[in-house]
Amino acid sequence: MLLLAAGTVAIASFMKERYEATSVMAVEPTSTEVSTQLLSYLIPGIEAQTVGGNVETAVRAGLDGGASEADWSVSTDVEAGAGVLRVNVSSEDPDVPVPVANEYASYLTSSDIGTSALTITTIDPAVIAEPTPEKQIALIAGVGLTLLVPLLLCFVLGARDERGRMLAFV
């Protein structure tokens, strides 16, 4: 158990830091004749297009310098019923997520998304790339396990001295 805790700390310390930036867009009907149901039906298609290879190729073509050749990952999420689309970009390079997230937003707001029933507008462009929490969570879990394992072993095994009293590890 102690080896598991120490291993978790070791793995976390070797993890590369990742940075994430998010652009937020509003997906709205182009007219009052477009129902909320149609909007709910079409937004997942936009999400699927966003993470697809054709959009990534177009985004890379619109980027300058190293960001166009950098390694990044993109994900999307939608607030159900709100028509808000978030494009999250993460990379090991802190200079990559912001321009890439904003290029995704630029591409989506200016391109033909396959339907004239919707319009996409950027409501909150990416401004800063924040470190993602994976490394911190792994470190906290590893340190927590390292500190708790001896205490738990003491209680579970009922560590007692030769007189039958509990041993104190603190």
Side-chain angles (χ1 to χ4, degrees):
M1 190 72 131
L2 194 56
L3 286 174
L4 174 66
T8 304
V9 171
I11 290 170
S13 64
F14 289 111
M15 288 175 66
K16 294 205 181 219
E17 189 79 61
R18 290 192 67 83
Y19 299 87
E20 184 176 73
T22 302
S23 285
V24 182
M25 288 149 281
V27 182
E28 301 171 308
T30 54
S31 72
T32 56
E33 298 167 1
V34 177
S35 71
T36 306
Q37 290 174 325
L38 180 60
L39 188 67
S40 297
Y41 175 76
L42 293 173
I43 289 177
I46 296 169
E47 277 189 286
Q49 287 178 14
T50 302
V51 296
N54 292 339
V55 173
E56 181 180 333
T57 302
V59 167
R60 284 189 186 278
L63 290 168
D64 297 336
S68 65
E69 298 173 11
D71 184 31
W72 76 68
S73 61
V74 64
S75 64
T76 59
D77 66 74
V78 174
E79 283 185 36
V84 175
L85 171 67
R86 286 183 174 78
V87 176
N88 310 305
V89 177
S90 67
S91 174
E92 291 176 359
D93 183 346
D95 297 328
V96 169
V98 171
V100 174
N102 289 333
E103 185 61 29
Y104 268 97
S106 176
Y107 176 82
L108 290 171
T109 58
S110 65
S111 68
D112 177 19
I113 56 171
T115 180
S116 60
L118 301 176
T119 183
I120 300 176
T121 55
T122 302
I123 56 176
D124 190 16
V127 177
I128 189 166
E130 299 281 343
T132 58
E134 289 90 8
K135 183 174 182 175
Q136 290 86 355
I137 290 170
L139 278 171
I140 290 168
V143 168
L145 282 173
T146 303
L147 295 175
L148 287 176
V149 166
L151 185 61
L152 290 174
L153 284 175
C154 177
F155 286 117
V156 170
L157 298 176
R160 299 178 183 276
D161 67 8
E162 62 276 353
R163 294 185 206 131
R165 291 181 295 193
M166 292 291 286
L167 291 174
F169 284 100
V170 183

